[in-house]
Amino acid sequence: NGTPRLGSDERVNVFSVLPVEADVGLETGHIEFDGHIEVSGGISSGYSVKGRSLNTREIQNAEIEMEEDIACYGGAYASKIKSGGNFKVSHLHNSNVEVLGDLVVQKEIFNCTIAVNGRCIIENGRIIASKIMAKKGIEAKDIGTLAGRPSELTVGVDFKNAEEIKLCRNRITELEQSKE
């Protein structure tokens, strides 16, 4: 039972599906499910959702952690989002995002910190006051505004490797101090 999907290893797998017929909130509580999560509403403020993949309407001040793809047909606001695959969303505001695949935003990225190991694509919009690191490049219609604070864009850097290198350097420093 479940839904067939093409996995990141190019093999067809069957994943179980958890349908949520309303918002993730007080009635559902936090969700942790090893399969695809299909939320017909949105994810409410203060709740977390962890699983293999996710489809939802909106993400509000939530914590999302998926092993594979995330599709959000509305926006994501003030949230912490991690995707092991691709992430497609209408717009992002005030969020921290890590994506191992591609990030596709239809309208706008505003005041976000984003790390992407694929491409960061803003289809019909702009980047405003955000810090974005994208290994395979950034595509946007507009970047910045005259009134807003500047955006910081970095391309060609694998953020996962950069984190590991930083941890190793910190560990070396700790070992050198303990040696002394």
Side-chain angles (χ1 to χ4, degrees):
N1 289 335
T3 301
R5 296 191 99 182
L6 185 63
S8 57
D9 60 355
E10 302 281 331
R11 294 171 51 190
V12 176
N13 299 303
V14 178
F15 295 113
S16 52
V17 177
L18 175 65
V20 179
E21 299 299 326
D23 292 342
V24 172
L26 190 59
E27 293 81 26
T28 63
H30 302 292
I31 293 177
E32 191 167 332
F33 181 70
D34 187 28
H36 176 70
I37 303 165
E38 188 76 37
V39 180
S40 62
I43 300 169
S44 300
S45 181
Y47 289 90
S48 68
V49 179
K50 295 180 182 182
R52 183 160 313 268
S53 61
L54 172 69
N55 284 359
T56 187
R57 294 250 176 254
E58 186 175 77
I59 302 170
Q60 279 281 358
N61 191 25
E63 190 169 320
I64 310 297
E65 191 172 335
M66 294 295 138
E67 294 174 22
E68 295 182 2
D69 296 345
I70 300 172
C72 180
Y73 305 108
Y77 310 93
S79 297
K80 184 175 181 183
I81 301 167
K82 289 185 180 184
S83 172
N86 300 317
F87 179 26
K88 185 168 184 174
V89 63
S90 174
H91 48 278
L92 284 169
H93 288 205
N94 305 309
S95 295
N96 290 320
V97 179
E98 287 185 10
V99 180
L100 290 182
D102 292 340
L103 171 63
V104 179
V105 180
Q106 293 172 336
K107 296 178 183 172
E108 173 180 81
I109 296 175
F110 175 76
N111 195 35
C112 293
T113 302
I114 298 171
V116 181
N117 261 6
R119 297 174 301 152
C120 179
I121 302 167
I122 297 84
E123 293 177 335
N124 296 310
R126 59 183 161 200
I127 300 168
I128 302 170
S130 295
K131 181 178 179 180
I132 301 175
M133 185 183 319
K135 181 179 177 182
K136 295 184 180 177
I138 299 169
E139 297 176 28
K141 193 172 182 178
D142 290 317
I143 300 172
T145 63
L146 294 175
R149 66 180 171 82
S151 292
E152 182 181 326
L153 309 178
T154 306
V155 295
V157 176
D158 183 325
F159 79 90
K160 280 293 193 192
N161 285 344
E163 285 176 5
E164 287 182 30
I165 289 169
K166 186 177 178 180
L167 289 173
C168 288
R169 287 185 177 148
N170 289 342
R171 182 71 178 135
I172 288 170
T173 303
E174 289 173 7
L175 291 172
E176 286 174 349
Q177 288 173 352
S178 68
K179 181 181 170 185
E180 290 174 2

